[in-house]
Amino acid sequence: MTDIAASSEAIKIDIWSDIACPWCYIGKRKLEFGIEEYASTEGSVPVEIEYHSFELSPDTPVDFDGDEIEFLSGHKGIPAEQASQMLERVTGIASSVGLDYDYDALKHTNTVKAHELMHYAKAHGLQLEMKERLLKAYFVEGRHVGRIDDLADLAAELGLDRADVVRSLESGENVAAVRADQRQAQELGIQGVPFFVFEGKYGVSGAQDPATFAQVLAQVAGERVEVGS
Amino acid sequence: MTATDARAGVPAPATTPVPTVTPLLTVLGAPGASCEGDSCSF
């Protein structure tokens, strides 16, 4: 491989993330802004993104009868008023990156099937589109992302074969892939999400500002040039 | 090291290399807002 090829090869970002994770959607947007910022610099190289499964709360039931405030107060013991203030704050931050979170409509659910669908979509070349669709469905549209039929509807919107998605989710054929992602997260010491791994060696935790992501990309690209020179 | 070595005060040969700990990841910067378990930093 020539030095030029080595330096122009896409920078890989592996992202561990959940669907029911307000900072994961905000972090996704901030990363995208950061990539745009980095891409506008001279000599920038393409970026390749791959999402990995991370279940924050695997014991959450598929159907939770109540809203997010009731979940936080009932599950976490946070007083309802405080929970309301917390959601108001995160909604404001989401809005600052162009995301219109609707916690009144949000349907709290278990996300393992959504993660299985992410792996299905990856196998069909639509992982990034599926991630965006699932996050938007959950945080903005108040759609259910825990039931197979609802997930199949979302997948079909992207052009995936609805019947085959139902078959896949009912069979659980991607559960092993979800678990493998979670094992890898554990091996890497990832405890919270979103978590971004650049080129398999640098970790960036949480929904950082776009400038931070741009800076890390520039650093990774710069190190390639140093190694190649 | 054998008991005989210890009694004689003979230093044990360094047969076991000191393991090199290589972190899997270098974490850059301070953590940003994130969720851990069913708890998020709000």
Side-chain angles (χ1 to χ4, degrees):
Chain A
M1 185 186 290
T2 66
D3 293 342
I4 292 170
S7 61
S8 62
E9 206 174 277
I11 294 173
K12 177 80 187 291
I13 310 177
D14 290 283
I15 307 171
W16 273 264
S17 160
D18 198 356
I19 311 301
C21 164
W23 296 116
C24 293
Y25 202 5
I26 292 168
K28 180 179 186 292
R29 273 296 177 277
K30 289 189 170 188
L31 172 70
E32 288 160 359
F33 293 148
I35 291 171
E36 275 175 29
E37 189 178 321
Y38 164 72
S40 67
T41 60
E42 199 182 338
S44 64
V45 297
V47 172
E48 182 194 336
I49 291 172
E50 182 176 353
Y51 278 96
H52 298 273
S53 303
F54 193 103
E55 279 183 280
L56 282 165
S57 190
D59 60 342
T60 304
V62 172
D63 289 300
F64 177 77
D65 190 19
D67 64 17
E68 187 68 6
I69 292 172
E70 285 165 335
F71 180 81
L72 287 171
S73 53
H75 223 69
K76 298 288 299 173
I78 299 169
E81 194 179 332
Q82 193 185 335
S84 175
Q85 286 168 356
M86 285 159 57
L87 297 184
E88 206 173 300
R89 182 170 170 267
V90 80
T91 300
I93 294 170
S95 175
S96 73
V97 293
L99 299 172
D100 191 14
Y101 280 14
D102 185 354
Y103 272 107
D104 290 335
L106 185 144
K107 291 182 178 62
H108 210 94
T109 186
N110 187 293
T111 58
V112 69
K113 287 291 168 197
H115 284 296
E116 289 178 49
L117 178 56
M118 282 291 292
H119 282 279
Y120 179 94
K122 179 163 79 173
H124 291 79
L126 288 169
Q127 195 204 30
L128 301 187
E129 292 83 351
M130 197 74 250
K131 184 71 177 180
E132 179 65 27
R133 190 67 198 92
L134 286 166
L135 287 166
K136 187 178 180 188
Y138 186 73
F139 281 108
V140 178
E141 299 172 345
R143 301 213 11 206
H144 205 295
V145 299
R147 299 185 197 123
I148 289 176
D149 275 348
D150 296 275
L151 290 168
D153 287 343
L154 292 170
E157 284 181 27
L158 300 182
L160 292 166
D161 181 335
R162 193 184 187 286
D164 195 51
V165 169
V166 171
R167 177 207 57 77
S168 172
L169 296 180
E170 282 179 346
S171 74
E173 66 182 5
N174 283 305
V175 172
V178 173
R179 301 293 171 237
D181 275 354
Q182 290 169 329
R183 269 197 307 277
Q184 201 182 354
Q186 207 169 11
E187 285 162 13
L188 292 170
I190 297 170
Q191 294 179 320
V193 288
F195 197 96
F196 306 82
V197 177
F198 291 74
E199 296 279 78
K201 58 180 177 177
Y202 293 122
V204 174
S205 173
Q208 302 279 352
D209 283 335
T212 302
F213 288 121
Q215 205 177 345
V216 174
L217 285 166
Q219 179 180 333
V220 170
E223 285 177 8
R224 281 181 175 187
V225 172
E226 281 173 26
V227 170
S229 62
Chain B
M1 183 192 293
T2 65
T4 307
D5 288 338
R7 277 197 305 273
V10 177
T15 52
T16 309
V18 176
T20 304
V21 179
T22 307
L24 287 169
L25 290 175
T26 302
V27 177
L28 301 175
S34 65
C35 299
E36 194 176 328
D38 55 3
S39 166
C40 295
S41 53
F42 283 103

